[in-house]
Amino acid sequence: MSRFDYVIVGAGSAGCVLADRLSADGTAQVLLVEAGTGTPETRPEVQVPILFPRLFGGELDWNFTTVPQPGLADRSIPIPRGKAVGGSSVINAQLWTRGHRADYDAWAEAGLTGWSHADLQPYFERAEQRVSLAGLRHPLPVTPAFVDACARLGHAPAAEVQEGHLLARATHRDGLRHSSADAYLAPSRERPNLTVLADTFVRRVLFEGTRAVGIEIEGESGTETLRAEREVILSAGAVGSPHLLLLSGVGPAEELTRHGVPVVRDLSTVGRDLTDHLLVPLAFEAQGFRSPGANTTSEQITQYLQDRYGTLDSIISEALLFLRTREELEAPDIEVVHLVVPLGEHQRPTAHGLALGVILLRPRSRGAITLRSADPHDAPLIDPRYLTDEAGHDLETLVAGVREAQRVLRQPDFAQWVGKPLTDGALSEDLDDVTAYIRATGGSIHHLVSTCRMGTDERSVVDPTFAVRGLTGLRVVDASAMPSIVRAHTHAPVTMLAERAADVLLQQR
Ligand SMILES: Cc1cc2nc3c(=O)[nH]c(=O)nc-3n(C[C@H](O)[C@H](O)[C@H](O)COP(=O)(O)OP(=O)(O)OC[C@H]3O[C@@H](n4cnc5c(N)ncnc54)[C@H](O)[C@@H]3O)c2cc1C
């Protein structure tokens, strides 16, 4: 049996940070295990920023879907998740947003000492020394028109506080995508004390009593076990980490027993508290501009890789607007993302157009990840329960958000670029129509969090040191550990969280 000090499961946004930081001083043997390929960067679709929608449903995507969602006209919603060294940062839309002060201050107020906005800024800064960020090199003319329309409606430019309009910042380096693997693993991969095992599926965590002692993997020669002398760290993402805990006997005893999984620890909230950002796209034909990336040919891709010139560096989401739907709120509850293609992010752009994506930033609806079966290869049941909060707060907020986006679309300077609606009802102001539109078109913007929620309360799965309650030698460090959803696209906050976790682990050695 091979032995390591730290065994990290999942080489995504969080796992890459941990592998780098925990192996940095050379004293610990670190293993990073990843189910997906170790060389995603060899594919043009990964390198060339505009091509990321082509990755959905492919080899680098776990390609999950939700169970039918009653709040969304019983549709099953696609849930792409990166499957490669680099994780979801290899297929994501490359936006980098830190989130709002109120997000983190609320964590500190809930008892997470040291997690306030001010406390966490150094971790973002540390992350930004590694992850390369770039502004838009070639914003389309329709993008300043969107910003002007927001300004005319009274939205200020976002400055210190993430409220108002801003141009996107992307995780790019020299015109190419810069994943967490590029940022954190490329510089450390040759360290003798860091082993990266790609193409290796982890089946479960192994325990001796209540101590995690290793993992079971599917190796080249069948099932093997790998031993962790200090810690097993789950960084398998908001779907993968709770799934692995459940498969390993950590979760609600009733659910585990029903599927024949021996109970190691009855922890009723594993997989619960699932929260995601819902996006409603308002899509239109282009009027007087061409969308980047529509029908890109292989010659254009080869040319771009040679000279890095042209609009293939677009990340589609060129500008963002964070707004409050009610004056009395302390922080924005809606984001409107300005997309220079006609569809929501999870679909492939094939025509010229634009879309405004209306995102519910602080949903109250809570969902769950549960076992479908005890077979690790059976995807878990993913049930975000979008728009199911009892008071109807989520739907009401989204309706207000859609109406504000419609006002932006009607501003003359922006409206001149906006052609025919591609979906019926996108511009209707009637409450029933807007509600039906939201239910018919809403989808995930892929920010699943809190399925192994951190907290100081009894219901939380991990404590403020990322340790799973009631067990030793087992941590969860990724989007699933997030105490609550933030008003941000989640890659930057997850990277920050992993930077902080690395400090905690190094201090506790
Ligand atoms: C399509 C898409 C677009 C997005 N766009 C943006 C954006 O523009 N900006 C932004 O900020 N955020 C975006 N996000 C969200 C952001 O990328 C994620 O929140 C973040 O990457 C999550 O990091 P993580 O470490 O929790 O999980 P991941 O990065 O998903 O990493 C988990 C890793 O664990 C591996 N794994 C899982 N199970 C196993 C197993 N059993 N055995 C071995 N390995 C396993 C996976 O293959 C994966 O590599 C997007 C996400 C997606 C999917």
Side-chain angles (χ1 to χ4, degrees):
M1 187 198 280
S2 308
R3 288 164 182 269
F4 299 88
D5 295 308
Y6 298 106
V7 170
I8 305 164
V9 178
S13 300
C16 291
V17 177
L18 290 173
D20 172 62
R21 298 296 185 198
L22 296 179
S23 64
D25 70 3
T27 59
Q29 288 297 323
V30 177
L31 172 70
L32 178 62
V33 192
E34 167 57 46
T37 174
T39 52
E41 71 285 354
T42 53
R43 299 162 200 235
E45 308 88 284
V46 169
Q47 288 195 295
V48 179
I50 193 79
L51 299 180
F52 71 92
R54 294 190 184 184
L55 296 164
F56 302 167
E59 245 180 81
L60 307 189
D61 179 5
W62 288 85
N63 206 10
F64 298 125
T65 47
T66 67
V67 300
Q69 295 296 291
L72 296 178
D74 284 329
R75 289 176 300 125
S76 292
I77 305 299
I79 303 287
R81 295 278 95 190
K83 185 180 187 182
V85 168
S88 294
S89 78
V90 167
I91 69 164
N92 76 9
Q94 304 146 72
L95 280 165
W96 183 266
T97 52
R98 284 193 186 185
H100 194 277
R101 174 174 296 137
D103 296 324
Y104 307 108
D105 286 346
W107 294 357
E109 278 158 29
L112 291 166
T113 310
W115 284 86
S116 72
H117 179 258
D119 294 327
L120 296 176
Q121 293 318 296
Y123 294 102
F124 279 111
E125 281 155 24
R126 203 192 274 182
E128 288 167 12
Q129 282 165 12
R130 296 298 286 272
V131 179
S132 171
L133 299 177
L136 302 174
R137 294 196 302 187
H138 305 100
L140 295 193
V142 62
T143 297
F146 167 80
V147 169
D148 287 349
C150 296
R152 276 174 202 278
L153 287 168
H155 299 288
E160 279 295 288
V161 175
Q162 190 185 275
E163 174 161 6
H165 54 80
L166 65 153
L167 292 179
R169 276 203 303 173
T171 48
H172 284 183
R173 188 164 180 179
D174 299 333
L176 301 183
R177 172 193 287 277
H178 199 236
S179 75
S180 300
D182 301 323
Y184 283 94
L185 273 191
S188 52
R189 216 158 163 168
E190 299 305 318
R191 283 180 195 150
N193 62 323
L194 173 62
T195 307
V196 180
L197 261 187
D199 297 307
T200 305
F201 184 79
V202 177
R203 295 173 60 84
R204 62 192 178 106
V205 179
L206 301 170
F207 291 92
E208 282 170 11
T210 53
R211 180 173 186 86
V213 293
I215 56 171
E216 184 179 277
I217 61 163
E218 287 175 10
E220 277 174 6
S221 46
T223 303
E224 293 169 30
T225 58
L226 301 170
R227 193 162 172 101
E229 297 296 343
R230 290 191 201 159
E231 305 268 355
V232 174
I233 306 166
L234 296 183
S235 296
V239 177
S241 289
H243 191 208
L244 276 166
L245 283 180
L246 295 167
L247 291 166
S248 313
V250 181
E254 177 278 322
E255 180 185 346
L256 302 179
T257 310
R258 187 157 31 93
H259 290 287
V261 178
V263 179
V264 173
R265 163 103 174 110
D266 180 9
L267 206 49
S268 66
T269 48
V270 171
R272 309 315 194 251
D273 290 320
L274 169 61
T275 319
D276 188 19
H277 285 151
L278 187 63
L279 175 143
V280 176
L282 307 175
F284 301 86
E285 287 177 2
Q287 197 158 272
F289 73 94
R290 295 174 70 76
S291 291
N295 309 316
T296 307
T297 61
S298 48
E299 288 74 27
Q300 287 169 315
I301 294 168
T302 309
Q303 188 66 45
Y304 181 81
L305 285 169
Q306 268 171 30
D307 58 23
R308 316 270 172 92
Y309 184 78
T311 56
L312 298 193
D313 66 344
S314 170
I315 58 165
I316 295 180
S317 323
E318 294 204 342
L320 316 174
L321 169 66
F322 291 90
L323 64 99
R324 283 179 281 155
T325 60
R326 286 177 290 127
E327 278 291 308
E328 67 274 20
L329 294 175
E330 60 160 343
D333 54 349
I334 286 286
E335 177 186 349
V336 178
V337 53
H338 161 66
L339 306 161
V340 293
V341 299
L343 301 167
E345 268 190 80
H346 53 284
Q347 295 153 308
R348 295 176 188 216
T350 51
H352 298 287
L354 62 83
L356 295 189
V358 182
I359 302 170
L360 179 68
L361 288 175
R362 293 285 291 173
R364 293 191 185 164
S365 305
R366 294 286 179 272
I369 304 277
T370 52
L371 283 178
R372 189 186 301 267
S373 82
D375 178 352
H377 287 287
D378 262 355
L381 298 170
I382 303 174
D383 186 5
R385 297 189 198 125
Y386 298 113
L387 304 181
T388 56
D389 65 305
E390 254 176 49
H393 161 271
D394 288 354
L395 183 61
E396 197 182 311
T397 306
L398 260 179
V399 168
V402 167
R403 288 189 165 147
E404 186 63 7
Q406 291 172 335
R407 281 192 276 277
V408 173
L409 286 159
R410 281 193 206 101
Q411 292 301 302
D413 290 353
F414 187 46
Q416 64 169 320
W417 302 99
V418 180
K420 277 197 279 195
L422 286 165
T423 29
D424 285 345
L427 288 174
S428 173
E429 289 170 69
D430 176 79
L431 177 61
D432 290 343
D433 287 355
V434 176
T435 302
Y437 186 87
I438 289 170
R439 294 199 193 283
T441 65
S444 175
I445 190 178
H446 322 306
H447 296 166
L448 286 75
V449 297
S450 299
T451 46
C452 303
R453 184 177 61 80
M454 177 189 291
T456 52
D457 57 301
E458 283 297 297
R459 287 192 77 252
S460 56
V461 173
V462 297
D463 71 15
T465 69
F466 300 86
V468 179
R469 290 189 180 280
L471 298 169
T472 45
L474 184 60
R475 317 249 180 174
V476 180
V477 180
D478 58 20
S480 52
M482 216 178 267
S484 62
I485 200 158
V486 288
R487 295 167 177 86
H489 300 250
T490 40
H491 176 46
V494 170
T495 309
M496 172 281 291
L497 187 128
E499 285 279 9
R500 193 183 159 95
D503 261 13
V504 170
L505 281 154
L506 290 170
Q507 278 157 16
Q508 292 193 344
R509 275 187 297 188

